[in-house]
Amino acid sequence: MDNQGRGLHARVLASLGPAITAGDYPPGTVLRTDELEKRFDVSRTVVREVVRVLESMHLVESRRRVGVTVRPTEEWDVFDPQVIRWRLAGADRPRQLRSLTALRSAIEPAAAALAAEHATPEQCAELTEHALNMVATSRGQQLAAYLVHDIAFHRVILRASGNEMFARLGDVVAEVLTGRTEHQVMFSDPDPEAVTLHVRVAEAVRERDAARAEACTREITIGALRELDILAP
């Protein structure tokens, strides 16, 4: 597909994906390819490529003589970063954020405890560096810069756990943190207690203190849920 084709593909996907996840096309809705071609003024090839992507996310299924049918919500690939991004952009954002933060609260404390046991010296250094950079960007409304280090910190924790399942959730956590920032579900400056807790997690991992790493990470996720109660009730 040439650059123009990729641009058309991206435009159609950026319209259909969020519309499906927002419920504009309820489960069971049939989307006819010829109607999509006319609506978006694109070729059948572009529509087919878009449908393939949506099928890979389990948002739709394509059947001959039926068309493209929107699948039930419970069948969607809710761990796909793009699906998460689309859902966080919709009206159901508060519930989605709570669901994702609950997932984090179940996984990340355990990952931090494992990281305290398995992290390499290089990973310990990365954690400390990102935690200190979070401190440095936590004042003066530097949320974009803070987000970069926040995401990197949590990716290292998940990777350093030594558990490949946890490590694969790095993109999920990144989307949650990005969504909170982009949709203003964050204070203009991060909670000082949360910033300090990240530093303490880095220290606990470096000192091989699994219990403290787990406890501090749990406090981070509890704090995130408290923020949602205030900013996304």
Side-chain angles (χ1 to χ4, degrees):
M1 187 179 292
D2 59 19
N3 288 337
Q4 182 181 10
R6 281 192 290 271
L8 294 171
H9 172 276
R11 176 170 64 82
V12 177
L13 187 63
S15 177
L16 271 182
I20 291 171
T21 57
D24 296 346
Y25 300 106
T29 300
V30 176
L31 306 171
R32 295 184 59 84
T33 55
D34 55 345
E35 292 175 358
L36 293 174
E37 289 170 40
K38 292 176 183 177
R39 177 185 166 189
F40 292 103
D41 191 24
V42 295
S43 68
R44 179 161 297 184
T45 299
V46 170
V47 170
R48 283 176 174 169
E49 286 301 319
V50 170
V51 168
R52 284 195 189 99
V53 173
L54 296 174
E55 282 183 308
S56 74
M57 299 172 176
H58 298 176
L59 296 181
V60 302
E61 61 180 342
S62 183
R63 291 182 181 174
R64 186 171 295 181
R65 298 192 184 90
V66 175
V68 179
T69 306
V70 178
R71 297 176 68 163
T73 308
E74 59 268 21
E75 295 179 5
W76 295 354
D77 182 0
V78 293
F79 290 101
D80 186 292
Q82 186 89 298
V83 173
I84 292 172
R85 196 174 312 135
W86 289 337
R87 298 181 86 186
L88 288 179
D92 201 27
R93 183 183 307 128
R95 190 176 71 84
Q96 287 303 309
L97 282 170
R98 279 177 174 75
S99 177
L100 290 161
T101 304
L103 173 68
R104 290 184 60 200
S105 69
I107 297 300
E108 289 197 76
L114 288 171
E117 298 174 1
H118 301 294
T120 65
E122 292 76 18
Q123 288 169 331
C124 290
E126 284 184 74
L127 279 178
T128 300
E129 179 182 1
H130 292 309
L132 293 178
N133 281 326
M134 289 172 72
V135 173
T137 56
S138 64
R139 286 290 174 266
Q141 299 182 17
Q142 303 181 70
L143 287 182
Y146 180 88
L147 175 64
V148 171
H149 301 296
D150 196 10
I151 289 174
F153 180 94
H154 290 280
R155 282 190 185 279
V156 176
I157 285 288
L158 292 166
R159 196 170 64 248
S161 71
N163 183 303
E164 74 281 5
M165 299 290 188
F166 288 175
R168 287 294 299 274
L169 291 174
D171 288 344
V172 172
V173 173
E175 289 299 335
V176 180
L177 297 174
T178 300
R180 286 196 321 170
T181 301
E182 289 185 348
H183 298 294
Q184 289 82 51
V185 193
M186 282 275 288
F187 296 115
S188 56
D189 283 331
D191 177 16
E193 182 180 351
V195 177
T196 300
L197 283 167
H198 283 79
V199 175
R200 289 176 180 165
V201 171
E203 291 173 346
V205 170
R206 189 181 69 247
E207 294 168 7
R208 304 299 187 197
D209 189 335
R212 187 155 61 96
E214 181 173 4
C216 289
T217 304
R218 193 172 304 283
E219 283 301 312
I220 290 171
T221 60
I222 290 171
L225 283 168
R226 281 198 300 262
E227 283 190 15
L228 291 179
D229 289 338
I230 297 170
L231 298 172

